[in-house]
Amino acid sequence: MAKPTGARCNLNCAYCFFLKKETLYPGDHFRMSDDLMERYIRQTIEAHSTPEVVIAWQGGEPTLMGLDFFRRSIEVEKKYLRPGMEIQNTLQTNGTLLDDEWCEFLQENKFLVGLSMDGPRELHDRYRVDKAGRPTFGRVLNAVRLLQKHKVDFNILCTVNAANGDHPREVYRFFRDELGAEYLQFIPVVERVSERGFQEGHEVTDRSVRPEQYGRFLIDIFDEWVRRDVGRMFVQQFDGTLMAWLRGHSSLCIFQRTCGEGVALEHNGDIYSCDHFVEPEYLLGNICDKPMIELVGSETQRRFGQHKADLTRQCRECLVCFACNGDCPKHRFTKSADGDEGLSYLCPGLKMFFEHVNHPMQIMASLLRQGRLTEGVMQVLSQEEAVTSKVGRNDPCPCGSGRKYKRCHGSPKYGLNPVGKLG
Ligand code: SF4
Ligand code: SF4
Ligand code: SF4
C-alpha cells in the first residue's frame, strides 16, 4: 500500500499511531511527487504476472493530495497497463474531504473505498476528532451519503476501542440499519504507550480495547450475524475465519502462519515491512534505489514474514491455533502461561471468539464443500435451536453424535477441526 501523504492527516484521532511517525522525516512536506507516483505504479504493474493488479492508497489521509494527483495516477495506470490486465484502485480515507466531484471520480474509476467510522455519533466522536478537537461524525456521515448517492463501492473500517467495545450490537445495527453499509471490518485498537508511536513496551493506553472486551464484541456481533444476516452483511473477520475452517488457513494476514506480503510505501519511496512497522529497523530500502520487487523479495523481508511462525508453546498447543496462528506480531508483547515472551495481548479474547464460532463455522464450511450457500447456516441453527431448547445438558445430543448434549454442542473443545465435517 502507498501512503502519498505519509503520516500526514487533517484529523487528530486520539488513538492514531500514524501521526507520531511524522518525526521519522523531520521538516518534510509529506507529499509524494508525480515522478515517484509513476515509479510506484509502473513497478507495481511490471511486477505482476497475474491479470489483476491492486493499487492501494492509504494514509495518513491520502485525499489531502488533491483530486488532480489521483486523476494523473489513472493516466499513469493506463500508460503501463498491459493487454488483458485490470487495475483495482482502493482508497482508505476518513471521508471528511470527499465531495460530489471526488465521488464522481471514484465511481467513474471504480475505486473501492474504505471509510473509517467507529459507530454512532457519541461512540465515533469519542476519539475521532479534527485538529481543533471538533467532532467529525457529521462530516463522515455526509461522506457515506455522498458515496451512496454516487454508487461508489465502500466498506466501513471500524476500530474497536475502550469506548465502543462494550456496545457491539449498537455499533453493528447502526452500520446495518441506519447507514445501510454491507461490508464491515472491526480492527482492534491496541495502542502501546510509546512516545515514538513504535511497537515497543508492554503497557497499553486506556483507549485500547481490553482482550476479553474484543472477544465479546466479536461474539455478540457474530451471534446476530449468523442468525439473520449471512449473505447480506459481510464482516471481514468472519469471512477470514471461515476460510480457516474451510481451507485450514485464514485469508487475513494476522491469522496466517507467516506474513510479509503487505509492505508499506512512504511518500518518498521508502518501503517498510508493514504499515504497522514503519520504524527504522524495518526499513527495506527505497524504490528509487532498488526495484520494489527486489525489496519485497529480500531476505530481510522473508525473515520478517517467517518470524510470525515462531509461536509460544501455549499457541502451538492451542486448539484454535489453525485459525489464529498467534495473531499479528504487533500484538505479541505479553507472556504465556509458561512464562514465554511473545503471546498476543488479545489472546484471551481471540480464543473466546474462535472457540465460540466453531460450530457455525463447521456448518458453513460443510455447506460450501457441498456446493451450497453459507446462508443455509441460519436455517440449520434455527432448527437445531428449536430442538435443543427442549434438551437438558445430560440428554443425548440431537445431532446424533451419541454424546451427551453438554459434551457435544455444550463444550467449546468439541469438534475443532479445520477441515472437519459437520459436527
Ligand atoms: S483519520 Fe486515520 S490517519 Fe487521520 S488521525 Fe484518524 S486514525 Fe490517524
Ligand atoms: S505484521 Fe501483522 S499486519 Fe503486518 S503483515 Fe504481519 S500479520 Fe499482517
Ligand atoms: S488463541 Fe491465544 S494461544 Fe491460541 S493461537 Fe491465538 S494467541 Fe495463541
Side-chain angles (χ1 to χ4, degrees):
M1 64 177 69
K3 299 153 71 75
T5 62
R8 198 160 65 90
C9 185
N10 58 330
L11 300 192
N12 193 20
C13 303
Y15 51 58
C16 182
F17 65 93
F18 291 119
L19 298 175
K20 291 179 182 160
K21 301 287 173 70
E22 289 193 35
T23 57
L24 285 175
Y25 299 98
D28 201 296
H29 294 301
F30 294 97
R31 208 181 149 77
M32 184 178 276
S33 68
D34 278 10
D35 279 355
L36 188 67
M37 176 260 284
E38 177 154 356
R39 194 181 287 262
Y40 159 59
I41 292 174
R42 177 174 57 76
Q43 290 194 11
T44 305
I45 293 174
E46 284 174 0
H48 276 73
S49 50
T50 52
E52 187 171 321
V53 181
V54 177
I55 297 287
W57 300 105
Q58 174 113 358
E61 179 47 45
T63 58
L64 284 174
M65 292 300 291
L67 192 42
D68 283 345
F69 174 85
F70 290 95
R71 287 200 176 105
R72 290 194 296 275
S73 78
I74 298 293
E75 290 307 309
V76 171
E77 288 173 2
K78 287 180 183 154
K79 180 169 157 191
Y80 292 105
L81 214 56
R82 301 194 296 275
M85 275 186 147
E86 267 186 34
I87 292 215
Q88 168 72 73
N89 285 285
T90 69
L91 179 81
Q92 181 62 42
T93 175
N94 61 41
T96 56
L97 300 174
L98 296 183
D99 57 15
D100 279 308
E101 198 183 358
W102 262 104
C103 291
E104 275 164 25
F105 166 82
L106 295 170
Q107 204 286 329
E108 203 176 301
N109 294 289
K110 302 275 172 282
F111 271 66
L112 175 61
V113 174
L115 189 71
S116 304
M117 198 175 205
D118 285 355
R121 187 181 293 274
E122 322 72 68
L123 298 176
H124 174 93
D125 284 339
R126 180 69 184 272
Y127 299 127
R128 296 194 70 83
V129 294
D130 66 15
K131 298 282 191 215
R134 288 175 306 217
T136 60
F137 178 86
R139 281 173 270 175
V140 183
L141 184 62
N142 185 48
V144 172
R145 297 304 175 223
L146 282 170
L147 291 166
Q148 289 171 328
K149 174 177 151 193
H150 291 278
K151 300 192 180 349
V152 179
D153 287 336
F154 72 97
N155 59 56
I156 296 286
L157 191 153
C158 171
T159 74
V160 186
N161 51 58
N164 66 5
D166 288 334
H167 306 275
R169 292 203 187 207
E170 193 181 335
V171 169
Y172 178 68
R173 289 173 185 171
F174 168 76
F175 290 140
R176 183 191 63 198
D177 303 335
E178 292 182 45
L179 223 52
E182 292 172 349
Y183 294 86
L184 310 176
Q185 295 178 39
F186 294 109
I187 309 296
V189 170
V190 179
E191 187 195 7
R192 281 148 88 172
V193 177
S194 157
E195 272 309 307
R196 306 186 293 176
F198 288 4
Q199 305 296 352
E200 58 191 10
H202 291 78
E203 261 183 85
V204 298
T205 64
D206 56 12
R207 295 178 286 260
S208 300
V209 67
R210 297 180 302 283
E212 292 83 358
Q213 191 183 27
Y214 186 56
R216 278 195 304 273
F217 185 94
L218 291 179
I219 286 172
D220 256 27
I221 293 177
F222 181 84
D223 282 351
E224 175 143 338
W225 173 81
V226 82
R227 282 171 180 79
R228 55 160 288 176
D229 291 333
V230 181
R232 70 182 190 110
M233 293 291 291
F234 302 89
V235 180
Q236 190 201 43
Q237 277 83 353
F238 303 162
D239 288 349
T241 300
L242 177 57
M243 286 303 111
W245 262 260
L246 186 67
R247 305 213 174 112
H249 54 86
S250 169
S251 54
L252 304 177
C253 66
I254 52 175
F255 298 134
Q256 288 172 358
R257 206 178 74 81
T258 59
C259 67
E261 286 167 15
V263 296
L265 173 74
E266 268 292 336
H267 63 292
N268 67 346
D270 284 351
I271 290 248
Y272 291 87
S273 292
C274 165
D275 196 27
H276 293 290
F277 286 92
V278 176
E279 303 176 14
E281 197 188 329
Y282 299 97
L283 175 63
L284 297 171
N286 190 294
I287 64 166
C288 299
D289 304 328
K290 232 184 203 183
M292 189 161 43
I293 194 164
E294 283 183 32
L295 296 171
V296 175
S298 65
E299 180 56 21
T300 314
Q301 184 63 1
R302 198 193 63 77
R303 274 202 309 274
F304 173 86
Q306 282 296 325
H307 180 63
K308 188 177 188 303
D310 291 344
L311 298 176
T312 61
R313 197 174 79 180
Q314 186 175 334
C315 289
R316 291 196 306 273
E317 293 176 356
C318 170
L319 277 169
V320 293
C321 192
F322 71 92
C324 177
N325 277 304
D327 188 21
C328 171
K330 97 180 175 76
H331 298 153
R332 295 183 188 173
F333 54 88
T334 62
K335 280 189 182 168
S336 70
D338 324 297
D340 291 344
E341 293 284 353
L343 185 74
S344 168
Y345 161 82
L346 291 174
C347 173
L350 293 173
K351 199 164 163 58
M352 267 165 64
F353 170 70
F354 287 125
E355 288 186 347
H356 182 84
V357 301
N358 171 46
H359 180 58
M361 285 294 169
Q362 287 205 26
I363 297 173
M364 285 189 281
S366 175
L367 288 167
L368 286 175
R369 279 189 213 105
Q370 295 164 33
R372 293 159 64 193
L373 298 173
T374 48
E375 281 90 313
V377 70
M378 296 184 284
Q379 198 187 354
V380 175
L381 287 179
S382 124
Q383 284 168 351
E384 277 185 5
E385 281 163 7
V387 177
T388 56
S389 63
K390 300 178 191 123
V391 182
R393 284 172 59 75
N394 284 319
D395 293 337
C397 185
C399 77
S401 67
R403 292 173 173 83
K404 284 182 178 170
Y405 179 59
K406 72 173 178 188
R407 303 276 310 149
C408 191
H409 292 87
S411 163
K413 289 196 171 67
Y414 172 74
L416 286 170
N417 178 357
V419 287
K421 294 196 172 72
L422 181 57

